Structures are given as structure tokens and as C-alpha cells.
Amino acid sequence: MCPQCGTRDAEWDETAGGDESAYVAATHKCIGCEVIADKQAELPSEGQAARGMKVYLLPAAVHAALQAHRELTRRHRPHDEDDDE
């Protein structure tokens, strides 16, 4: 089986019972994959800043909730004793 496309040689080989037109190549544009690719293009490509960087999709409502949580914790974090100096 081809690791790239997932077909087997026999599926294409008419002498083995296959058919050269067994599959049709088709395209599909995924907007999510496009958004990920656009964001990846913005990332640094070399150096320490590029190491380990991943791009993923996060629902907008979840992103907003995380930002709100970060803002609340920033405002209400307990002061360290060193903060008063």
C-alpha cells in the first residue's frame, strides 16, 4: 500500500483485477487549513523563536473566554510582598 495515497498496486493493475480508473483525483479547499497555513507563514522560520511553534484552531468563543480569564487574573492577582517596595 502506498503510504502517500493509500492505494494498492493491484487496485490499478487490470491484470490483477484492478482498474486504472478505479479512483478519481478530486480537490477540496478547507478554509481551516487555509487559515492555519496563513498563520504559519507569519511565524519565524529560523532560530530559537521558530522551534516548537505550532498553529492550531481554537473556537472564537473559547479564545475570548481565555482572554477574559487572563485579564481577570492579571487584575486580581495577589500582590507579592516585594510589590509594595
Side-chain angles (χ1 to χ4, degrees), residues 6 9 14 19-20 22 32 37 40 47 49 53 57-58 66 72 78-79 82 84:
D9 288 342
E14 292 180 4
D19 182 352
E20 283 193 16
Q40 284 172 326
M53 292 295 290
L57 296 177
L58 188 62
L66 287 170
L72 283 172
H79 293 287
D82 295 336
D84 295 331

Side-chain angles (χ1 to χ4, degrees), residues 35-56:
V35 169
I36 288 172
D38 289 346
K39 189 66 170 178
Q40 284 172 326
E42 295 174 15
L43 297 177
S45 59
E46 295 180 11
Q48 186 70 25
R51 296 174 69 184
M53 292 295 290
K54 304 285 186 243
V55 177
Y56 60 94

Side-chain angles (χ1 to χ4, degrees), residues 56 58-74:
Y56 60 94
L58 188 62
V62 173
H63 182 260
L66 287 170
Q67 284 185 313
H69 180 263
R70 283 188 202 112
E71 184 61 30
L72 283 172
T73 30
R74 210 174 291 138

